[in-house]
Amino acid sequence: MAQIELGLDTFGDITDGPDGQPLHAAQVIRNLIDEAVLADEAGVDFIGVGEHHRADFAVSSPEMVLATIAGRTKRIRLGSAVTVLSSDDPIRVYQRFATLNAASNGRAEVILGRGSFIESFPLFGFDLNKYEELFNEKLDLYAAVLKQESVTWQGATRPPLKNQSVYPKLDAPLTTWIGVGGTPESVMRAAHYGFPMMLAIIGGDPKRFAPYVDLYKRALGEMKKPELPIGVHSHGYIAETDAQAREDLFADYKRMRDKIGAERGWPPFGKAEFEREIEGGSLYVGSPQTVARKIAGTVQALGAARFDMKYSAGPLSHDKMMRCIELYGRKVAPMVREMVG
């Protein structure tokens, strides 16, 4: 098994400043760039920036933020978490990330998904009733463009293409993952196109995703495709001690969770659920030793090649996130690599 990759994800959550008031989105973006620079210096392998179109997240154009990060970093890989392909143009998605790949000397990645929010559909004039059809067709076109050949393609959601060339051409591979939230259809889609699978595990025991891993591997074998990496994306936070990490995170995580939950009809998030998710679920919260052991357990149980921890959590402060990043890169990552061999 190749060395495990340890990454970080952020959605550019609108954080509170020292006065307890929400920061302007512009300042959040500047802080996010500083966080990525620190991640690079601390030895983190990947930074993922999510795309959202709502007031509680600052980033609507991950590629622009990632391009800025590229100019200030040396080695960290740069990607989306996720790119909402259903409401975008697959050719422009390819072009933007191919450009980022060139500018960063081959460090760009794309994680394509449908996203868990729907604000982009009315914003860009797409019919939410065509949720599945839009993603399926656009993924098919993106996969065709990625082959670096002239594209002839026809579908129902956009005009056809005939012998169209798409530029710029790649001089280094553009790694493309499919974000999977937990449906067999999504797993089979990733296998069909021969893309690595990124599992978004945001609640419950991560081992419950083992059947999806098995399905993915079986499907690749039956389709005569090579073995491909599997990644895991989950929430987490690190402080010097378990108690400090829980104390730092709970109030801010609850604010984020309850805001989204109110829109989706979820009950308020309580301390007991918080503790359960830390002990046996998908919250990776605690000291470096505690978090490293839990990541290693998940990686080994699912055969994952990468683990990406979403370190931002609603209004959680920039200073706390910076300390978390430092501990993740300098302490957690080396311990995980040693534990999984």
Side-chain angles (χ1 to χ4, degrees):
M1 180 178 174
Q3 179 172 278
I4 182 74
E5 293 185 344
L6 280 302
L8 289 167
D9 288 338
T10 176
F11 295 167
D13 307 51
I14 298 294
T15 52
D16 284 349
D19 60 357
Q21 296 302 306
L23 295 174
H24 193 286
Q27 184 60 51
V28 172
I29 290 170
R30 292 190 285 269
N31 287 348
L32 190 166
I33 292 164
D34 289 340
E35 291 157 16
V37 171
L38 175 60
D40 183 55
E41 294 168 352
V44 177
D45 294 315
F46 171 83
I47 184 76
V49 180
E51 172 200 344
H52 294 85
H53 304 273
R54 45 187 286 139
D56 41 352
F57 300 113
V59 181
S60 60
S61 178
E63 304 92 335
M64 294 296 292
V65 178
L66 292 166
T68 305
I69 294 168
R72 292 184 54 190
T73 54
K74 302 290 188 209
R75 43 163 298 283
I76 196 167
R77 295 185 63 79
L78 313 157
S80 57
V82 300
T83 295
V84 185
L85 187 64
S86 310
S87 56
D88 210 329
D89 183 281
I91 294 175
R92 293 297 284 150
V93 169
Y94 163 81
Q95 289 177 324
R96 296 195 300 263
F97 279 95
T99 302
L100 176 65
N101 209 40
S104 64
N105 290 310
R107 290 189 280 146
E109 297 187 4
V110 191
I111 303 178
L112 299 174
R114 290 173 292 180
S116 61
F117 296 94
I118 59 172
E119 288 82 7
S120 60
F121 284 81
L123 183 63
F124 298 119
F126 290 101
D127 185 353
L128 196 56
N129 293 320
K130 295 183 177 179
Y131 187 82
E132 290 286 339
E133 182 182 14
L134 284 164
F135 186 74
N136 290 337
E137 282 207 354
K138 292 185 178 195
L139 181 59
D140 190 61
L141 177 53
Y142 175 91
V145 172
L146 196 61
K147 292 176 182 177
Q148 305 286 281
E149 302 166 356
S150 295
V151 178
T152 296
W153 181 92
Q154 187 166 349
T157 59
R158 61 161 289 156
L161 298 172
K162 185 173 182 179
N163 294 326
Q164 289 287 324
S165 294
V166 181
Y167 302 100
K169 300 298 184 183
L170 298 168
D171 68 348
L174 176 58
T175 300
T176 300
W177 301 73
I178 298 294
V180 173
T183 66
E185 293 79 12
S186 296
V187 174
M188 294 301 293
R189 193 181 288 121
H192 172 75
Y193 288 105
F195 289 146
M197 178 173 69
M198 181 63 69
L199 295 168
I201 307 178
I202 58 173
D205 185 346
K207 295 183 185 66
R208 68 192 173 90
F209 279 75
Y212 295 115
V213 173
D214 294 339
L215 175 62
Y216 180 64
K217 290 180 176 179
R218 286 202 316 272
L220 288 173
E222 291 169 2
M223 296 174 191
K224 302 292 191 284
K225 296 182 186 294
E227 288 188 19
L228 293 168
I230 294 163
V232 172
H233 155 99
S234 291
H235 293 255
Y237 177 76
I238 306 151
E240 279 72 11
T241 67
D242 290 351
Q244 187 64 54
R246 294 181 187 211
E247 181 181 340
D248 284 353
L249 182 65
F250 176 70
D252 292 328
Y253 189 85
K254 175 178 170 56
R255 278 177 60 187
M256 173 194 69
R257 174 68 160 63
D258 285 352
K259 185 177 190 309
I260 296 169
E263 300 170 5
R264 301 180 179 183
W266 299 343
F269 187 73
K271 196 66 174 284
E273 184 178 356
F274 181 67
E275 299 289 346
R276 282 197 304 273
E277 280 295 329
I278 292 172
E279 295 299 332
S282 297
L283 266 180
Y284 295 74
V285 176
S287 68
Q289 294 82 359
T290 296
V291 172
R293 283 195 299 269
K294 186 166 184 177
I295 291 174
T298 295
V299 164
Q300 290 169 325
L302 298 178
R306 188 160 91 203
F307 182 92
D308 292 342
M309 187 183 81
K310 182 181 181 283
Y311 67 92
S312 59
L316 185 70
S317 73
H318 173 59
D319 289 345
K320 288 178 180 175
M321 289 192 288
M322 290 288 271
R323 182 60 181 148
C324 173
I325 291 165
E326 184 92 29
L327 291 170
Y328 185 80
R330 300 199 188 281
K331 294 193 174 183
V332 172
M335 283 192 280
V336 173
R337 293 188 184 108
E338 185 175 352
M339 289 174 188
V340 302

